[in-house]
Amino acid sequence: MKPTKSLNLCVFLLLLLAPISQSGKSRGSNKSVKISHFPTRVEAFTTDVKVEVIGGARHAIVKLFYGNEREAIAGQLVTEASRRSQLIFDCGYFIRKGNYKFKYYDPTTSKNSLASSILRVEWPNLAMNFKTTGQLYSADNEVLLSFPQVQLCKSYLMKNYKTKVSIRQQSGEITSLEHPNFPTSQPLLFSCDSLTTPGGYYAAVYVIAYNSTLLVAKSETVQFQWSSRYDVIVYDDNWFCADTEEILLKIKKPPCAPTNDKIQMTVVHNQYSSDVIHTYDVNSASELSFPCLDSTETETAGICFSYMTSQDTVLRKRCFDTSKNSEFNMDGSWSTWSTWNVCTRSCNNTILRRHRNCDNPQPLGDGQACEGVHKNSLDFILHSLNRF
């Protein structure tokens, strides 16, 4: 009889503990937990996202992640255990294109996510304007990113975001500016002397948030060239100064040209021989004077005046025949292309035109004329916006 009583006691204890064990498994399993969100797809900077937790436990947490990043952007507690709980995530969290993930965690049962949901974020309609003449030192360059026909959300988070605009080449950043707000309502101005060498440049707009700098959009590449405003004009072609004591030049240059540009005076003896006799800095002058040629000099066939950068790049060259007893031959060279002029047809097609002249210098004597075309045009120009 003693073994029978002992067996009955064991069965009794198992029956007594069984409901308790079953209840604990039910509370901790979270097998029935589901999360969903509305809307299912959103545009960045535009709307809050509602997350619904079905069958969640009290004090569970829903975390928000971007892409495959391991660090959560934000998280919210499920404050009450109920069949349906609703959480709202601020629109200021959704500022990048791509997939965001909502993950449900119950720290009382597991360190792993027990349910998840993916939200797709797209860019809204963006308009990016990189306004420039495409000629160095000619005018300020403007960059503006705007959201036409888009109602941006009013988020307390976005008050802490900043705008960064960068002008770049393939080799990297050339210059940048920051603005304390994102987005900005006014264009950011880059001074006309911020870009100094010919080549392709593009503008990139970033939002600075979460201690990170995130690319939003970039413009097409714009080709910059030297300005067509450079010129040296001789007031009087009396090189030997019979009536005056100097040769006076009028200088033309773009408004932001560096002050260490220079004008060089060269005498040409023949096709193979020339000498630089004077070099003066331009500074802020609009006129410069050079000493006259020696009237007894009989081997001077020509004279040239060159507008040059401090790195000796010739931007404009004028040559003149001063020969008395020798022939002066000078090959022609093209001037810089002019800026593009827009011609809009009645059928709404657009043509861009530009031109250049064979006068940098112009051919003299038996010198060769320039090779190539002096006019250029592009039809059906399309400008696209690269968004990220």
Side-chain angles (χ1 to χ4, degrees), residues 139-311:
D140 291 340
N141 304 296
E142 298 183 3
V143 179
L144 176 64
L145 177 69
S146 59
F147 298 80
Q149 301 178 349
V150 175
Q151 183 65 43
L152 298 181
C153 65
K154 296 180 179 179
S155 167
Y156 74 96
L157 293 171
M158 293 184 66
K159 294 180 180 179
N160 299 317
Y161 298 165
K162 298 179 181 179
T163 299
K164 176 183 176 181
V165 177
S166 172
I167 295 184
R168 309 175 65 87
Q169 291 184 300
Q170 288 187 348
S171 58
E173 182 178 279
I174 305 302
T175 183
S176 65
L177 294 173
E178 290 187 9
H179 191 277
N181 299 324
F182 182 88
T184 61
S185 58
Q186 299 296 326
L188 271 67
L189 298 179
F190 290 83
S191 63
C192 56
D193 59 353
S194 57
L195 306 180
T196 61
T197 57
Y201 295 84
Y202 66 92
V205 176
Y206 302 82
V207 55
I208 301 176
Y210 314 131
N211 296 320
S212 299
T213 302
L214 311 172
L215 179 61
V216 175
K218 69 177 185 179
S219 70
E220 286 187 333
T221 298
V222 177
Q223 293 296 326
F224 279 74
Q225 62 181 12
W226 293 112
S227 172
S228 57
R229 297 188 187 185
Y230 293 100
D231 206 353
V232 286
I233 301 171
V234 179
Y235 282 115
D236 191 346
D237 60 359
N238 188 2
W239 313 115
F240 300 98
C241 303
D243 302 320
T244 61
E245 296 181 354
E246 58 188 13
I247 302 172
L248 187 61
L249 297 184
K250 181 179 181 181
I251 302 168
K252 291 186 176 181
K253 57 186 185 296
C256 296
T259 57
N260 59 351
D261 287 350
K262 52 193 177 183
I263 304 294
Q264 189 176 85
M265 179 180 178
T266 306
V267 294
V268 182
H269 305 298
N270 53 53
Q271 185 177 358
Y272 308 102
S273 176
S274 63
D275 293 308
V276 176
I277 57 175
H278 298 291
T279 302
Y280 296 152
D281 287 342
V282 174
N283 295 319
S284 58
S286 59
E287 292 181 345
L288 281 179
S289 58
F290 288 81
C292 300
L293 297 178
D294 186 348
S295 60
T296 63
E297 175 63 60
T298 59
E299 295 184 0
T300 299
I303 183 172
C304 295
F305 296 96
S306 302
Y307 190 111
M308 308 172 68
T309 68
S310 58
Q311 289 79 34

